């Protein structure tokens, strides 16, 4: 087996029942792949090597029941060290550990623990206490598990509080967003109502102006018709006077025509024409009638005087 790790056959040579001793092999790395091929090796001794850290896939060796990592230079354990749920006995004596991963609380089957000679955090060192005998090492396992479970619970509470705070913050942001959207909708609604009211006022103003113009036009039309009505009032009398004048003109024209005809029939050579003979005869008859009428009037006057 080399410094970097062992080969399959050499590891099998070191396997004694269920116990595999790799102590004092000057290992810098853990041969995880070869160890995984030996599920029967439930007891693993890696003490007195040069291990500074354990690879993350080391935690896949879930068949381990007893693990000795004492007298190495481990500064920390893998974060998922708690996957080794079957582990009952753990020796971490004389390493450089300050803290343990929170997943350590998942080692529910752990019955024995030695953390002596590590630069542990003072709180963890006080909890772990000494491991000078079997009883103290068992108490160390119980107390450390309880301590790590408390840390895990507190971290879970902090995580829950953080998640709750994030959810509340998200709800607050959503509420603010909804309020903002509602405010924007209300603003758009108000602007729309104001625009509608403005258009309605403009419509009412235009309608009122149109009615005012129509009223004014109607009034002017009525006023313009009043003089015409007053001027038409005396129209019948004027029409009557016009008719009388027309009749008088016709009579004068007829009289003039008669006089002209009579003069032509008396004074010109036309007096022997049949028409003129008739006209002259008629003239003489009319003249005789007028004379008789005058004589009758004189007689009546004389009788009345007697």
């Amino acid at each position: 087996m080399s410094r970097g790790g062992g080969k399959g056959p050499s590891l099998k040579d070191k396997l004694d029942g269920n116990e595999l001793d790799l102590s004092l092999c000057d290992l810098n790395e853990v041969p995880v792949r070869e160890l995984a091929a030996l599920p029967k090796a439930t007891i693993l001794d890696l003490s007195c090597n040069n291990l500074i850290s354990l690879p993350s896939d080391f935690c896949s060796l879930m068949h381990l029941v007893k693990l000795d990592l004492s007298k190495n230079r481990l500064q920390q354990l893998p974060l998922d060290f708690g996957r080794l749920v079957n582990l009952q006995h753990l020796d971490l004596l004389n390493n450089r550990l300050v803290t343990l991963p929170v997943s350590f609380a998942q080692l529910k089957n752990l019955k024995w623990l030695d953390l002596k000679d590590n630069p542990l955090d003072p709180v963890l060192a006080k909890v772990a206490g000494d491991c000078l005998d079997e009883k103290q090492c068992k108490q160390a396992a119980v107390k450390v598990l309880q301590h790590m479970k408390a840390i895990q619970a507190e971290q879970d509470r902090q995580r829950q509080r953080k998640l709750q705070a994030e959810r509340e913050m998200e709800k607050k942001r959503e509420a603010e967003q909804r309020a903002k959207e509602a405010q924007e909708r209300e603003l758009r609604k108000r602007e729309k109502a104001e625009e509608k009211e403005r258009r309605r006022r403009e419509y009412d103003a235009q309608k009122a102006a149109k009615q005012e113009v129509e009223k004014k036009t109607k009034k002017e039309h009525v006023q313009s018709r009043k003089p015409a009505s007053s001027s038409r009032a005396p129209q019948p009398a004027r029409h009557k006077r016009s008719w009388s004048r027309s009749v008088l003109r016709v009579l004068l024209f007829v009289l003039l025509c008669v006089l002209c005809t009579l003069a032509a029939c008396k004074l010109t050579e036309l007096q022997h024409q049949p028409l003129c003979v008739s006209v002259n005869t008629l003239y003489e008859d009319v003249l005789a009638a007028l004379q008789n009428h005058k004589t009758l009037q004189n007689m009546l006057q004389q009788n009345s005087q007697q």
Side-chain angles (χ1 to χ4, degrees):
M1 185 170 54
S2 66
R3 291 172 180 257
K7 300 295 181 179
S10 57
L11 286 183
K12 286 183 178 180
D13 292 340
K14 289 180 173 291
L15 182 62
D16 183 9
N18 64 341
E19 193 171 337
L20 180 61
D21 187 1
L22 298 180
S23 64
L24 301 169
C25 291
D26 200 20
L27 295 176
N28 295 317
E29 297 178 359
V30 179
V32 176
R33 184 176 300 177
E34 290 79 0
L35 291 173
L38 298 173
K40 291 183 179 181
T42 58
I43 300 175
L44 177 62
D45 188 354
L46 291 170
S47 63
C48 302
N49 283 293
N50 298 319
L51 301 177
I52 297 176
S53 64
L54 299 177
S56 59
D57 57 352
F58 180 84
C59 301
S60 65
L61 303 177
M62 297 175 63
H63 60 276
L64 294 179
V65 174
K66 183 177 180 179
L67 177 61
D68 189 351
L69 291 168
S70 63
K71 298 181 181 179
N72 279 281
R73 294 184 294 169
L74 295 174
Q75 298 179 3
Q76 61 182 9
L77 297 178
L79 294 178
D80 56 348
F81 192 80
R83 290 176 59 192
L84 302 175
V85 292
N86 293 313
L87 197 62
Q88 298 179 15
H89 186 110
L90 177 61
D91 192 346
L92 294 170
L93 171 70
N94 194 9
N95 277 280
R96 300 178 183 179
L97 297 173
V98 177
T99 60
L100 297 175
V102 178
S103 66
F104 199 91
Q106 299 174 12
L107 300 178
K108 58 184 179 179
N109 292 314
L110 189 64
K111 302 294 189 298
W112 196 96
L113 177 64
D114 188 357
L115 287 171
K116 293 193 307 298
D117 298 331
N118 280 281
L120 296 175
D121 176 80
V123 176
L124 179 59
K126 183 177 180 181
V127 170
D130 290 330
C131 182
L132 301 177
D133 55 33
E134 188 75 12
K135 182 179 179 180
Q136 288 182 344
C137 294
K138 288 182 177 179
Q139 289 179 347
V142 173
K143 291 180 180 179
V144 170
L145 282 178
Q146 291 177 347
H147 176 68
M148 298 310 298
K149 287 179 180 179
I151 293 176
Q152 185 182 47
E154 179 61 26
Q155 288 187 357
D156 290 341
R157 285 192 294 269
Q158 290 180 358
R159 187 161 45 251
Q160 288 297 326
R161 285 194 293 267
K162 184 178 179 180
L163 291 175
Q164 183 65 24
E166 290 176 354
R167 284 195 293 267
E168 290 178 357
M169 183 63 66
E170 183 64 23
K171 289 180 179 179
K172 183 177 180 181
R173 285 195 294 266
E174 291 177 355
E176 290 176 352
Q177 183 65 24
R178 288 194 297 269
K180 183 178 179 180
E181 292 175 354
Q183 185 177 6
E184 291 177 353
R185 286 195 300 270
E186 185 65 23
L187 179 60
R188 289 194 297 269
K189 184 177 179 181
R190 190 182 305 116
E191 290 176 351
K192 186 176 179 180
E194 291 176 354
E195 178 64 18
K196 184 177 180 180
E197 180 64 20
R198 184 186 63 80
R199 292 199 304 266
R200 189 188 64 80
R201 287 197 299 267
E202 290 179 355
Y203 173 79
D204 291 343
Q206 292 176 359
K207 186 176 180 181
K210 184 178 180 180
Q211 290 177 350
E212 185 66 23
V213 171
E214 291 177 351
K215 184 177 179 181
K216 185 176 180 181
T217 303
K218 185 176 180 180
K219 184 177 180 181
E220 291 177 354
H221 182 65
V222 171
Q223 290 178 353
S224 64
R225 290 179 62 184
K226 283 184 179 180
S229 299
S230 60
S231 63
R232 283 198 301 268
Q235 185 175 2
R238 185 170 61 185
H239 179 70
K240 186 175 181 181
R241 289 196 299 270
S242 176
W243 182 79
S244 300
R245 290 175 183 174
S246 299
V247 172
L248 182 58
R249 289 193 185 96
V250 170
L251 291 176
L252 290 175
F253 179 73
V254 171
L255 180 59
L256 181 59
C257 290
V258 170
L259 291 176
C260 291
T261 303
L262 184 59
C265 289
K266 285 288 187 180
L267 301 176
T268 63
E269 297 177 352
L270 296 175
Q271 59 184 341
H272 299 292
Q273 295 295 328
L275 179 60
C276 288
V277 171
S278 298
V279 171
N280 291 332
T281 303
L282 179 60
Y283 172 73
E284 290 175 355
D285 291 341
V286 171
L287 186 59
L290 290 174
Q291 289 178 355
N292 291 332
H293 180 67
K294 187 175 182 181
T295 302
L296 180 59
Q297 286 181 351
N298 290 334
M299 289 177 63
L300 290 173
Q301 288 178 358
Q302 290 176 1
N303 289 332
S304 63
Q305 288 178 358
Q306 292 177 359

